[in-house]
Amino acid sequence: MRRVVITGSGTVNALGPDVAATFAALREGRCGIGPLTCRDVDRLSVQIGAEIAGFDPAQHFARNTLPLLDRFSQLALVAAREAVAQSGLQIDDALALRAGVVMGTAGGGNLTVDDNYRTVYAEGKNRVHPFVVPRLMHNAATSHISMELGLKGPAFTVSTACASANHAMGQAFQMLRCGMADVMVTGGSEAMLGFGGIKAWEGLRVMARDTCRPFSRDRTGMVQGEGAGVFVFEELEHARKRGANILAEVAGFGLSADAGDIVMPDVDGPVRAMQAAMSDAQVTPEDVGYVNAHGTGTAANDRVESQALRKVMGARLDTLPVSSTKSMHGHIIGGTSAVELLACLMALNDDCIAPTINHSEFDPDCVPDPVPNEARQARVTVAISNAFAFGGLNAVLVLRRFH
């Protein structure tokens, strides 16, 4: 099968407006979590989140384009532009037919839905804007990326809750590997930090009201964030022929279903997904130098993921760095594993492992080395990124340092 590499990356999230700023924040252990500023925030029990500060859509999009774009699509487009610019791709007519898009999202145009429910129910209006459907549909970001970049190959959206981006990137990886395309723009995007989105998550009673402390004994729950992470995945020989700078190799992908509870995680499903990804990449526990954990900061997730890692890694887990960057950028739901893949790229290219911040007390039921509070210098040749979703849907990617 053909080999697949990453030649471009882009992001917008609470840590920064681009990849360089995000890397700097990850190295510094900076927290992007703060008070929410959404409408009717005083009616929310949870009033914190990882919002993107200072994002002005008018700086990125023409006035006649903005009415078509929900915030999740705006973030995806800005991140995609950065990724393609970094990759140096020139998309001509021939490549356009061999290039596509797969994006992940859980909520799609959630803010558009929230605004228009308010319009028809709270305000009693009988009409909504004619672009409501194009704004809210889950495939909106995918469609706008394909249209702006002129990508005419495979294009679709994956929605598997908190594993959406990993599932999307895994699908892009498989399509490149089997020859369906030569280039895929892929990742995830989410923007649910509105009244309705937060109120819905409040109902699950898994949200922290102070901050996010994954793997810390005093953790109180997850904190929601917003953002996008987008990458250019490319077939190796195609990248080599055009002299592209290769950021990493996508070495393996594994997925599984718990087939158990709709919200409570199970150890077996994550175990099988990690084992499948490592088998696909042909790596052993001793090869793995870093795991970016799903690490939500809830008692159930942190303990189940830790148990799953112990079953997969065995004694290697005792010295294996396993961090959760959700402690900094929040849980970006369907886009979270795309932003988290950046931490894997940083480890592979900069020899820097992002920390789990806000960590105050070790939990004997959790991973032994959560890289507490401070980034760590270490040479990493293989990194794993976990994503485990409500509904028991698991997706794991393995990246390898490119030689």
Side-chain angles (χ1 to χ4, degrees):
M1 288 185 290
R2 307 192 316 168
R3 292 170 67 185
V4 178
V5 294
I6 302 175
T7 56
S9 60
T11 190
V12 185
N13 64 81
L15 298 180
D18 53 31
V19 171
T22 300
F23 281 173
L26 291 173
R27 284 191 291 267
E28 294 168 16
R30 191 187 315 147
C31 189
I33 298 168
L36 287 170
T37 62
C38 64
R39 189 173 177 181
D40 290 332
V41 68
D42 57 307
R43 293 179 56 202
L44 294 171
S45 300
V46 174
Q47 298 184 359
I48 60 166
E51 286 185 336
I52 298 170
F55 180 79
D56 180 4
Q59 293 182 356
H60 300 279
F61 304 100
R63 181 181 294 182
N64 62 344
T65 302
L66 273 176
L68 287 165
L69 300 173
D70 182 89
R71 187 174 175 89
F72 99 102
S73 294
Q74 296 170 14
L75 302 177
L77 277 163
V78 172
R81 291 169 182 172
E82 182 186 9
V84 172
Q86 184 185 38
S87 76
L89 270 175
Q90 298 296 319
I91 301 165
D92 57 21
D93 291 344
L95 179 56
L97 300 176
R98 298 281 300 165
V101 188
V102 187
M103 291 291 290
T105 186
N110 185 267
L111 295 180
T112 293
V113 173
D114 197 39
D115 287 344
N116 284 277
Y117 276 165
R118 187 188 298 273
T119 296
V120 297
Y121 291 130
E123 299 173 4
K125 295 181 180 178
N126 291 324
R127 290 184 180 179
V128 297
H129 196 283
F131 293 156
V132 168
V133 170
R135 285 172 62 98
L136 66 80
M137 59 191 189
H138 280 53
N139 62 296
T142 293
S143 297
H144 283 291
I145 291 170
S146 71
M147 291 186 293
E148 179 168 310
L149 300 176
L151 309 180
K152 298 181 178 180
F156 58 95
T157 294
V158 175
S159 187
T160 52
C162 312
S164 299
N166 260 13
H167 274 117
M169 294 186 289
Q171 291 300 303
F173 167 57
Q174 298 286 32
M175 286 190 289
L176 289 165
R177 194 153 67 162
C178 75
M180 291 180 67
D182 295 324
V183 172
M184 294 295 293
V185 176
T186 184
S189 179
E190 205 76 89
M192 297 176 66
L193 292 184
F195 178 79
I198 295 292
K199 184 59 70 176
W201 277 93
E202 281 182 359
L204 289 165
R205 300 180 182 178
V206 296
M207 304 281 281
R209 300 188 187 189
D210 49 2
T211 195
C212 183
R213 299 185 184 89
F215 304 124
S216 186
R217 195 170 190 170
D218 60 348
R219 62 194 175 277
T220 56
M222 59 169 273
V223 175
Q224 197 173 155
E226 62 177 352
V230 180
F231 303 88
V232 175
F233 282 18
E234 194 168 349
E235 190 271 324
L236 174 60
E237 292 309 313
H238 188 275
R240 277 178 166 161
K241 284 178 182 177
R242 65 182 190 85
N245 179 42
I246 294 171
L247 304 177
E249 180 173 5
V250 187
F253 176 51
L255 60 170
S256 69
D258 292 355
D261 193 272
I262 195 67
V263 291
M264 289 301 293
D266 180 70
V267 173
D268 179 63
V271 165
R272 288 184 287 109
M274 284 188 279
Q275 288 175 336
M278 292 171 64
S279 175
D280 190 34
Q282 298 182 344
V283 299
T284 68
E286 288 68 34
D287 298 322
V288 179
Y290 170 59
V291 175
N292 185 282
H294 190 58
T296 62
T298 65
N301 173 88
D302 290 2
R303 288 172 180 166
V304 165
E305 185 170 14
S306 296
Q307 291 168 25
L309 280 162
R310 175 62 72 184
K311 287 195 172 186
V312 172
M313 299 297 176
R316 171 70 180 113
L317 187 63
D318 293 333
T319 55
L320 178 60
V322 179
S323 73
S324 171
T325 52
K326 287 182 178 70
S327 58
M328 291 180 270
H329 54 64
H331 193 335
I332 310 173
I333 317 300
T336 199
S337 50
V339 174
E340 288 162 353
L341 203 69
L342 291 168
C344 293
L345 289 181
M346 189 175 77
L348 293 169
N349 291 311
D350 300 339
D351 298 329
C352 181
I353 296 175
T356 306
I357 68 167
N358 306 317
H359 192 278
S360 62
E361 186 177 359
F362 281 90
D363 185 337
D365 293 329
C366 289
V367 294
D369 181 10
V371 195
N373 300 317
E374 294 184 1
R376 182 181 305 164
Q377 290 298 122
R379 182 170 176 81
V380 176
T381 56
V382 174
I384 291 177
S385 181
N386 285 343
F388 309 135
F390 276 173
L393 307 183
N394 312 297
V396 177
L397 285 168
V398 179
L399 298 188
R400 181 184 288 118
R401 181 186 291 253
F402 185 77
H403 301 288

